[in-house]
């Protein structure tokens, strides 16, 4: 904790991940098929907590989430979960609009995200999502979910992804994104 955390407006989140997209390390690490569902779930839960924490900074306006993973559990699934939890404050904007390889189309957030593939892009594999705080909606410092201040006076439309609120299929214990703001 520090007294200057309230001045942070832009955050880059690059959490620990499987590293499944790092070409130079693939020969020395587990084969992609060797990553167990449990390990991917543990990583994804950690990533959700870290991303939720970054989105909880009271003055944050932009947050970029990036991994060097090829797994959807660490990428699109994390982004969809966080938007379902914090979509009242945050929305997803298209990252690098001219990048030809987008996120997986089976996810509502897919087209807004980017993926790089070692085989298709001749680079290490990575994933990027770009969150923007909704125009005119601020979470008061030390507020709880639902304690929103709407300062929006603009009617301008923006090209953002807002999830429709479909229910998550699994019922496992997941990190909460709606904790008290720091």
């Amino acid at each position: 904790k520090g007294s200057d955390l309230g001045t942070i407006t832009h955050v880059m989140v690059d959490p620990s991940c499987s590293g499944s997209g790092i070409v130079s390390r693939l020969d020395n690490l587990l084969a992609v098929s060797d990553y167990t569902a449990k390990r991917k779930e543990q990583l994804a839960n950690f990533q959700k907590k870290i991303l939720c924490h970054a989105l909880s900074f009271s003055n944050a306006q932009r947050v970029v989430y990036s991994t060097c993973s090829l797994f959807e559990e660490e990428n699109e699934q994390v982004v969809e979960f966080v938007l379902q939890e914090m979509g009242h404050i945050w929305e997803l904007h298209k990252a690098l609009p001219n990048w030809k390889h987008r996120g997986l189309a089976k996810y509502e957030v897919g087209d807004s995200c980017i993926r790089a593939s070692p085989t298709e892009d001749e680079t290490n594999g990575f994933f990027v999502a770009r969150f923007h705080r909704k125009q005119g909606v601020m979470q008061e410092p030390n507020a709880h979910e639902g304690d929103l201040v709407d300062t929006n006076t603009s009617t301008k439309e923006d090209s953002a992804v807002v999830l429709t609120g479909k229910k998550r299929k699994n019922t496992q214990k997941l990190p909460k994104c709606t904790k008290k703001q720091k």
Side-chain angles (χ1 to χ4, degrees):
K1 289 187 175 183
S3 60
D4 63 346
L5 292 180
T7 63
I8 295 171
T9 59
H10 292 72
V11 180
M12 172 68 185
V13 178
D14 185 10
S16 297
C17 70
S18 65
S20 58
I22 301 176
V23 176
S24 61
R25 292 178 52 195
L26 283 179
D27 292 336
N28 298 320
L29 293 175
L30 297 171
V32 171
S33 62
D34 289 340
Y35 283 96
T36 65
K38 182 177 179 173
R39 178 66 179 144
K40 287 190 247 181
E41 179 184 342
Q42 289 170 334
L43 285 166
N45 282 337
F46 172 74
Q47 293 153 350
K48 290 169 188 172
K49 283 182 181 182
I50 295 297
L51 182 53
C52 286
H53 180 71
L55 294 171
S56 75
F57 283 59
S58 60
N59 286 321
Q61 297 300 308
R62 306 287 183 270
V63 175
V64 173
Y65 174 73
S66 178
T67 71
C68 56
S69 172
L70 301 175
F71 298 131
E72 60 194 90
E73 294 91 340
E74 297 181 89
N75 297 327
E76 290 90 353
Q77 288 181 17
V78 168
V79 171
E80 281 205 346
F81 172 84
V82 170
L83 276 178
Q84 287 171 349
E85 294 296 313
M86 299 189 79
H88 58 289
I89 301 172
W90 293 92
E91 57 194 7
L92 199 63
H93 285 237
K94 198 167 193 172
L96 299 173
N98 294 327
W99 189 267
K100 65 180 177 178
H101 295 115
R102 309 310 303 173
L104 299 177
K106 69 181 183 178
Y107 293 96
E108 207 170 336
V109 300
D111 190 54
S112 293
C113 304
I114 66 166
R115 281 181 163 266
S117 162
T119 56
E120 296 176 23
D121 299 303
E122 299 180 17
T123 183
N124 282 329
F126 64 88
F127 174 87
V128 178
R130 183 175 67 144
F131 293 84
H132 287 223
R133 185 178 294 274
K134 287 184 176 179
Q135 179 91 21
V137 179
M138 296 179 59
Q139 184 109 10
E140 290 289 334
N142 301 318
H144 291 56
E145 176 191 11
D147 297 339
L148 301 179
V149 176
D150 186 355
T151 60
N152 190 10
T153 57
S154 170
T155 59
K156 179 182 170 188
E157 290 293 321
D158 198 357
S159 58
V161 170
V162 179
L163 293 181
T164 58
K166 59 183 175 179
K167 300 282 185 194
R168 284 187 299 279
K169 289 180 183 155
N170 63 34
T171 56
Q172 64 183 349
K173 249 188 177 176
L174 294 172
K176 290 288 184 193
C177 292
T178 54
K179 292 186 178 181
K180 190 174 179 179
Q181 299 294 298
K182 300 285 180 192

